Amino acid sequence: MIRRNARTLMPIAALALGAGLGTAVYCGPAAAAETTDVVRSGAADDTYSSSSRPSYNFGSSSTLVAGRQGADTMIGFLKFTVAAPGAGGTVKGAKVTLTRASGNLPGSIVLRKVAGTAWTEKTLNAKNDPALGAAIGTAKPAATAATVSFDVSSVVKGPGTYSFAVTSAVANTPARFRSSEATTGQPALDVTVTRKVVTQPTESAPATSPATPSPSPATPSPSPTTPSQSPTTPATTNPGECAVGAKLVPTCGVLWGAAAGGFSDVPRDEALKTFEAKTGRTSTIYHTYHKGDELFPTKAEIAMTNDPAHPRTLMLNWKVGYGTTWANVAKGDQDARIDRLATYIKANFATKQFFMVLHHEPENDVNPKDGSGQTAKDFAAMFRHTALRLKADGVTNAVFVVAYMNYEKWNSASWWYDMYPGDDVVDWIGVDTYNNAQPGGFHYGDFNYMMNRTSAGFPGFYNWATTKHQGKPVMVAEWGVYDSSATVVGKNKAAVYATVLPQLAKMPQIKGLVYFETAKDQSGHDIRMDDTPEALAAFQQIAADPRFNVKL
């Protein structure tokens, strides 16, 4: 289940270090190397002012206008927040990219520095717009150029908030760019970061072959818009030793799972079996969705956990507040609904542990207005009340997961942190997160970017979870890759999939990885792992990795 909004993007590319697949064996001293990442940020604020409409605010417009039309002079304003590059990181360069929205571009467009950063897109107009500074760069684009870029390396040299103005002196041909409110092509600031890393020399032995062997996708040349193609880092433990312990946390390795057949009429158990046959691995986690008065797990779901040849556990998603509000659930208005489910679980599924997600992706349903019953704090109270009520009712085998959307607009909201229900009732911290495989497209990036998109005041999801809630296992409760290219190119998804294993190895707190597979989501995105042969071959390489050999 996916919803999409806007704001900030994050690590897009990293230069490959070495190559090959297999089991690494230490054979020498550590060596220093340098990696290059491109950190992409969306505008924290963007709008424009109009001299002929001095009191008017354009902060909600999907278009950013700059230039002259008759006596009207319009100036576009952009503000970006750049996070610290991290330990050992050095900012080496930066550029701002704007996407043409409509009409022809003027022959000359100037980007200027703006010292003031206190303005906001909801309040700026021609009466209060900040003073313009020196020109940073001038672009002379073709009239129908798709994008216009400006080198801002002279200004962006480290973390901070940066403001820019877009102007043009060309008469009667104002530039119209897409703003952050547009659905695609939002303004972007790409910051190039280099850092020293230490690697251990290795010798490789062949890894387990995927179910359908196929040549690895060609590695594209590293660029600011190419996902990194790092060497696969194999599991460092004996896969035969990995098993689940308390709260279904694996003693080593990572739980593998899927929610297959989303937004289709195919029965979910049938869809999952097809997914498993194509990928070559049993989905240890079987993710399904329920709401309101539905009783679960269903007989079909229980049957999937009783297959000795394909051992699985359930991840059951429940919108307990369906038809009412979170505040009402927290007050006890739906205790009869909770108690009824508890009775059913104890009678039908009392002996096996399972994951229970309470109202996944809550951000999209938050109404921050006091008294709405749907504030972030109401969600936290609903989650706490439901979890504690189920436990009091004797449901002892539920492992509770809070699952966020990982969307920049929400992550930067003032209320976002209020949603966390508390370490005492949260067993796993989950995230639903998706990438676009279209080079240069919105939400284009590698696995690290998928897990660690930054935004104003937010350090990235994995960074937040592991810093603020140390020791809590992280569940990637939904993940997927789609390709928004006008013509789907097989190597695009394959390139993103190729980054999963090496970057997953650098995120040891991720203990579960659950793919959401659908031919068409709410936005029309195809998130199937087999929409092209190249994508399937690359995904099979992920599935074949021994780190997912965790015994239930």
Side-chain angles (χ1 to χ4, degrees), residues 153-388:
S153 302
S154 62
V155 176
V156 179
K157 296 182 177 297
T161 300
Y162 298 91
S163 286
F164 305 98
V166 186
T167 66
S168 176
V170 178
N172 299 323
T173 312
R176 290 178 170 85
F177 297 110
R178 297 179 186 180
S179 76
S180 291
E181 280 64 38
T183 56
T184 60
Q186 298 88 344
L189 172 65
D190 291 336
V191 178
T192 301
V193 176
T194 61
R195 56 173 47 86
K196 297 290 185 180
V197 296
V198 176
T199 59
Q200 297 288 356
T202 62
E203 294 179 352
S204 297
T208 303
S209 299
T212 306
S214 175
S216 300
T219 301
S221 299
S223 71
T225 55
T226 303
S228 60
Q229 297 285 306
S230 304
T232 298
T233 302
T236 57
T237 52
N238 183 340
E241 298 174 351
C242 298
V244 295
K247 302 295 184 181
L248 291 174
V249 179
T251 56
C252 57
V254 179
L255 292 171
W256 175 263
F263 305 106
S264 74
D265 295 329
V266 179
R268 293 296 177 266
D269 53 347
E270 179 183 330
L272 186 74
K273 291 177 181 179
T274 300
F275 179 90
E276 293 173 338
K278 290 180 177 180
T279 59
R281 177 178 289 278
T282 296
S283 295
T284 305
I285 297 176
Y286 173 29
H287 193 179
T288 63
Y289 303 82
H290 298 280
K291 61 187 179 183
D293 288 321
E294 295 177 11
L295 294 176
F296 58 88
T298 65
K299 290 183 179 179
E301 290 166 351
I302 294 173
M304 292 288 278
T305 72
N306 291 332
D307 182 348
H310 304 280
R312 307 180 185 93
T313 190
L314 297 175
M315 179 182 288
L316 303 171
N317 200 307
W318 188 29
K319 291 191 173 182
V320 61
Y322 184 75
T324 182
T325 66
W326 295 329
N328 285 341
V329 174
K331 288 190 299 184
D333 289 357
Q334 293 299 319
D335 282 357
R337 173 180 284 179
I338 298 171
D339 296 344
R340 181 167 173 259
L341 178 66
T343 299
Y344 176 86
I345 292 173
K346 289 188 293 182
N348 295 278
F349 200 68
T351 60
K352 295 180 180 179
Q353 283 189 307
F354 67 94
F355 294 106
M356 171 74 89
V357 182
L358 296 177
H359 201 119
H360 76 305
E361 301 181 0
E363 296 98 318
N364 209 53
D365 296 319
V366 168
N367 180 346
K369 184 178 179 180
D370 288 343
S372 68
Q374 291 287 119
T375 67
K377 291 181 179 179
D378 290 330
F379 169 78
M382 176 279 298
F383 191 109
R384 289 188 60 82
H385 179 82
T386 304
L388 294 173

Side-chain angles (χ1 to χ4, degrees), residues 446-487:
D446 54 14
F447 184 76
N448 182 58
Y449 165 64
M450 185 185 292
M451 291 301 302
N452 258 334
R453 297 180 190 129
T454 61
S455 54
F458 189 73
F461 191 88
Y462 183 81
N463 289 338
W464 166 77
T466 56
T467 300
K468 298 299 183 181
H469 303 283
Q470 297 181 13
K472 290 290 182 186
V474 173
M475 171 74 73
V476 187
E478 291 181 13
W479 74 283
V481 181
Y482 58 94
D483 186 353
S484 290
S485 302
T487 300

